[in-house]
Amino acid sequence: MADDLFKALADPTRRVILDELTERSGQTLFEICGRLAVKHGLGISRQGVSQHLAVLEAAGFVVTRREGRYKFHDLDTAPLRHITERWPLPDPSPDRSAPEENPS
């Protein structure tokens, strides 16, 4: 599962898509394509954006829902917990946080 997460985050276009869904979750493919073109100057086809969304969905970053003939894409940041749980930061203990003194 971690491989899918890192693969999804490795591509700069997918990170821009995640940024856009962070700004406004629940967008259609048409809306995402428009924002990528206008706001970011990315000349990517609808099929290309759709493929990026499929990778993000496989990694769990995007959840889709259908309402009538529209398909909405929502951001889900829960997969990021897998990364933070894999490499947790140690709790600093009082004796480890103090700088060591050099005995002379």
Side-chain angles (χ1 to χ4, degrees):
M1 176 160 214
D3 289 343
D4 289 342
L5 298 176
F6 291 112
K7 177 184 175 185
L9 293 173
D11 187 277
T13 301
R14 287 194 283 271
R15 291 193 304 268
V16 170
I17 291 170
L18 290 175
D19 290 341
E20 287 303 319
L21 291 175
T22 299
E23 198 171 297
R24 197 176 119 234
S25 197
Q27 296 184 58
T28 64
L29 176 61
F30 178 78
E31 291 171 307
I32 294 168
C33 289
R35 289 173 70 98
L36 293 178
V38 173
K39 191 173 173 184
H40 301 280
L42 295 176
I44 186 169
S45 68
R46 285 174 54 103
Q47 182 180 4
V49 173
S50 182
Q51 289 172 345
H52 283 301
L53 286 167
V55 172
L56 291 169
E57 189 173 4
F61 286 116
V62 172
V63 178
T64 59
R65 59 187 162 82
R66 286 204 177 269
E67 291 181 18
R69 56 184 265 213
Y70 296 102
K71 183 177 181 181
F72 296 93
H73 302 83
D74 294 295
L75 177 66
D76 185 359
T77 58
L80 293 174
R81 279 188 240 124
H82 296 288
I83 295 171
T84 59
E85 289 169 359
R86 182 171 179 173
W87 296 291
L89 293 175
D91 290 331
S93 61
D95 57 323
R96 292 183 72 205
S97 62
E100 292 184 31
E101 292 185 25
N102 195 2
S104 304

